[in-house]
Amino acid sequence: MNKTMNFSGGPGALPASVLRETSIAIDALPETGLSVLGMSHRSDWFRGVLDEAERNLRVLLDIPGTYHVLFMQGGSSLQFSMLPMNFLRSSGKHAEYIVSGYWSAKAPVEARHEGATRVVWDGSAQGYRRLPAPAELNLAPDAAYLHYVSNETVEGLEFANIPGLHEVPLVCDMSSNLLAAPLDIDRYAMIYAHAQKNLGPAGVTLVILRDEFAQRATHALPTLLDYRTHIQSRSLYNTPPVFAIYVLMLVTRWLRDEIGGVENMAAINRAKSERLYRALDAEPDFYCVHGERACRSTMNVAFRLPDTATQAQFLDDARRAGLHGLEGHRSIGGLRASLYNAVTPEAVGLLSEWLGEFRRLRG
Ligand SMILES: *Cc1c(COP(=O)(O)O)cnc(C)c1O
């Protein structure tokens, strides 16, 4: 086995066919004869890329015309600030946050700069091992919005159901599972996801927001931090990350043409994660999955070995076998296999078999 496989938490793996097409485009785009890295963002070619990326996303995720699709910068971390700047500041209301892991804990920290913020559930005392049941959430019907993270990338926890009250705008950070499965867009006022986990390379962040919600934003914000600037300029207010958006567009084409849509992708992702969890569960006194069974993520599988020396050995042996990116996030340590869309069932099969071998050799 000498093929290199990427299980990194982010930036994550990209489809092989997308990488091949990208390397051609870096040399010279067939359509223009110029490198994609030197293409003007004001060119007709790039307007076509933006339009196709948006069109493909609308078809793949069934996004109606009442929502805007924006390509922004600053990563998901800037969204933690932009969201309350636009929709909490001068709203006269408070914002609500579910804190269920490393990433969702960062969001309310930024909201507190802008206004009253309430954490409606906090899993930190239990080490972020499970997600709240709907009845555990202490929700107010008059909140400015409710924010949550649909898939906790670090701890490997994924919501099976959408939380919240219908009368409160729901905002979701889907950075690590957008495009992994179909989306019930009508439930959301706004969704955001940076590209570097499941959608493409780092540098672009997708924001999908309902027009009626966008119109509630406060005024007198810095131009670039006002969602309406990006709506009015159709994501071309200033120079966007042309390369990252181009690759994201190729990924949407791959999902459409090679995978056949997000329903198919979801079935493939389910099979991949079931395979890996089965391999881990087969050795329960050796491998320990971080999250409770009902909350297990299809995208990020966080687990641990009995001690740190064995974990170091695991990472060493894995790299030699061509299995890369398996170290856990620095906040919780341990190990993590990220099974984003572009990670093939074959790669997950090899990793699953290898887990059994490692146990027999070193356990
Ligand atoms: C990785 C991650 C982030 C951080 O995104 P940046 O683009 O690095 O700011 C935020 N939210 C979630 C759910 C993530 O997985």
Side-chain angles (χ1 to χ4, degrees):
M1 202 199 310
N2 49 20
K3 214 170 131 251
T4 302
M5 283 161 279
N6 186 3
F7 296 98
S8 169
L14 288 171
S17 61
V18 168
L19 293 177
R20 277 194 298 276
E21 205 165 338
T22 301
S23 71
I24 293 170
I26 287 175
D27 192 32
L29 283 161
E31 308 93 285
T32 69
L34 298 175
S35 166
V36 62
L37 299 177
M39 281 305 298
S40 165
H41 60 294
R42 301 289 173 199
S43 61
D44 290 343
W45 173 82
F46 185 64
R47 184 69 254 171
V49 169
L50 270 176
D51 288 347
E52 183 181 342
E54 174 173 343
R55 202 163 53 242
N56 291 349
L57 287 163
R58 284 190 185 276
V59 171
L60 286 164
L61 295 172
D62 215 358
I63 304 169
T66 46
Y67 288 77
H68 302 285
V69 175
L70 307 175
F71 300 90
M72 297 179 51
Q73 299 188 64
S76 291
S77 298
L78 183 61
Q79 295 305 310
F80 294 164
S81 296
M82 269 184 78
L83 169 69
M85 282 176 140
N86 279 261
F87 301 111
L88 176 56
R89 190 189 285 188
S90 22
S91 69
K93 298 180 172 186
H94 72 283
E96 303 201 322
Y97 284 78
I98 298 176
V99 172
S100 52
Y102 177 86
W103 287 115
S104 57
K106 296 213 177 255
V109 175
E110 303 305 323
R112 283 181 199 115
H113 297 303
E114 302 298 334
T117 302
R118 265 188 67 219
V119 170
V120 294
W121 190 82
D122 186 340
S124 61
Q126 299 156 339
Y128 299 131
R129 282 168 203 281
R130 69 176 189 92
L131 296 171
E136 289 177 273
L137 298 174
N138 173 20
L139 301 170
D142 60 347
Y145 58 82
L146 169 68
H147 178 275
Y148 81 111
V149 171
S150 54
N151 181 70
E152 291 286 359
T153 321
V154 170
E155 295 84 3
L157 310 173
E158 189 168 15
F159 277 84
N161 299 105
I162 301 173
L165 303 173
H166 281 272
E167 58 270 42
V168 173
L170 183 61
V171 178
C172 187
D173 174 356
M174 296 195 180
S175 292
S176 50
N177 69 348
L178 188 70
L179 286 181
L183 177 67
D184 193 357
I185 185 75
D186 295 341
R187 289 290 308 276
Y188 297 94
M190 176 174 139
I191 283 168
Y192 61 94
H194 59 199
Q196 69 264 28
K197 287 179 186 137
N198 210 28
L199 318 177
V204 60
T205 300
L206 200 62
V207 175
I208 303 167
L209 86 168
R210 197 187 279 148
D211 182 63
E212 170 267 321
F213 187 60
Q215 300 315 326
R216 291 189 207 176
T218 192
H219 286 275
L221 287 165
T223 308
L224 215 49
L225 300 181
D226 186 328
Y227 289 107
R228 283 169 298 220
T229 301
H230 303 275
I231 292 171
Q232 279 151 20
S233 65
R234 298 180 62 211
S235 303
L236 277 173
Y237 176 74
N238 65 336
T239 317
V242 170
F243 175 73
I245 294 170
Y246 172 71
V247 181
L248 183 148
M249 184 278 286
L250 293 180
V251 169
T252 62
R253 259 189 210 169
W254 167 82
L255 258 171
R256 183 193 63 190
D257 301 339
E258 287 186 49
I259 300 296
V262 286
E263 304 247 356
N264 289 357
M265 194 71 254
I268 294 168
N269 286 334
R270 251 191 323 273
K272 278 156 48 183
S273 60
E274 279 167 9
R275 174 93 209 262
L276 187 59
Y277 283 118
R278 213 164 38 241
L280 292 166
D281 291 339
E283 308 283 355
D285 52 341
F286 191 63
Y287 295 114
C288 172
V289 176
H290 178 81
E292 284 183 10
R293 200 171 281 263
C295 316
R296 286 178 171 183
S297 165
T298 51
M299 293 277 103
N300 308 96
V301 178
F303 60 103
R304 249 184 311 277
L305 287 172
D307 57 79
T308 52
T310 316
Q311 278 175 181
Q313 184 75 59
F314 179 98
L315 291 170
D316 260 15
D317 286 7
R319 267 191 290 271
R320 265 194 295 277
L323 306 163
H324 290 255
L326 289 164
E327 45 287 288
H329 188 266
R330 61 190 187 283
S331 63
I332 62 167
L335 303 162
R336 174 178 54 170
S338 295
L339 312 181
Y340 298 130
N341 285 354
V343 175
T344 62
E346 293 71 33
V348 178
L350 287 170
L351 173 61
S352 305
E353 280 167 27
W354 189 81
L355 288 173
E357 278 170 42
F358 181 77
R359 163 83 226 238
R360 278 188 293 282
L361 280 171
R362 311 272 190 187

